[in-house]
Amino acid sequence: MLRSWIASSGIRLSFVFAMKSHLALLSLVHSVVVRSRIKGVATTEDEALRRVRQSNPGLMICSDQLEQGDGFSLCKRAIQEVCDLKVLMVLTSDGLTSDYSAVSRALDCGAMAVVCEEDFMSPELEVMQSL
């Protein structure tokens, strides 16, 4: 389902993934059939930004929390580097607040879609509704 959405969306079929969770990164990498479309995998803000600069991807999927830096700053900086970059922000349960300020912050930084980590990793692919 994710593949068909990406194909129909007009997004360039190249990806950078930036997540604090190694399990989430592994899951993302295995979900991409054509591995050559993966232009970068990172756990830190600076490394992800380097990958974005090098590869000019169409889509970046990042978590709000990274091993170093954060997804909000990464989103803003990456979009400045690649103006038509689409960003999906995954909010970790640690980053969520009762007033959903993290969602607003992600959208303000330029994310086109925001999902909770639990929904993103669910087998029902609830992430598709957000996208």
Side-chain angles (χ1 to χ4, degrees):
M1 218 190 249
L2 183 59
R3 278 180 254 134
S4 64
W5 174 81
I6 290 171
S8 67
S9 69
I11 294 174
R12 284 186 316 283
L13 296 177
S14 57
F15 317 102
V16 168
F17 305 133
M19 311 284 281
K20 182 177 183 178
S21 166
H22 292 255
L23 179 60
L25 282 173
L26 185 61
S27 175
L28 281 171
V29 167
H30 285 295
S31 71
V32 176
V33 175
V34 181
R35 297 285 163 86
S36 63
R37 292 183 175 154
I38 300 172
K39 302 303 180 184
V41 176
T43 58
T44 68
E45 182 178 342
D46 288 341
E47 180 62 23
L49 191 60
R50 262 194 303 282
R51 300 292 184 204
V52 166
R53 285 181 181 141
Q54 291 171 348
S55 65
N56 194 35
L59 177 66
M60 179 175 71
I61 298 177
C62 67
S63 58
D64 57 343
Q65 297 180 10
L66 300 169
E67 287 184 358
Q68 293 177 358
D70 66 74
F72 303 110
S73 174
L74 171 60
C75 180
K76 222 177 205 179
R77 293 171 67 196
I79 290 171
Q80 288 174 347
E81 293 289 330
V82 179
C83 61
D84 64 341
L85 177 68
K86 304 299 183 213
V87 178
L88 168 64
M89 177 80 66
V90 180
L91 299 179
T92 59
S93 50
D94 294 342
L96 292 175
T97 60
S98 59
D99 64 354
Y100 297 101
S101 62
V103 173
S104 295
R105 187 173 174 204
L107 294 173
D108 289 345
C109 290
M112 74 175 269
V114 181
V115 296
C116 295
E117 183 177 41
E118 293 79 19
D119 294 338
F120 185 71
M121 300 297 286
S122 75
E124 293 84 29
L125 290 177
E126 293 171 22
V127 69
M128 292 309 299
Q129 290 179 342
S130 296
L131 290 171

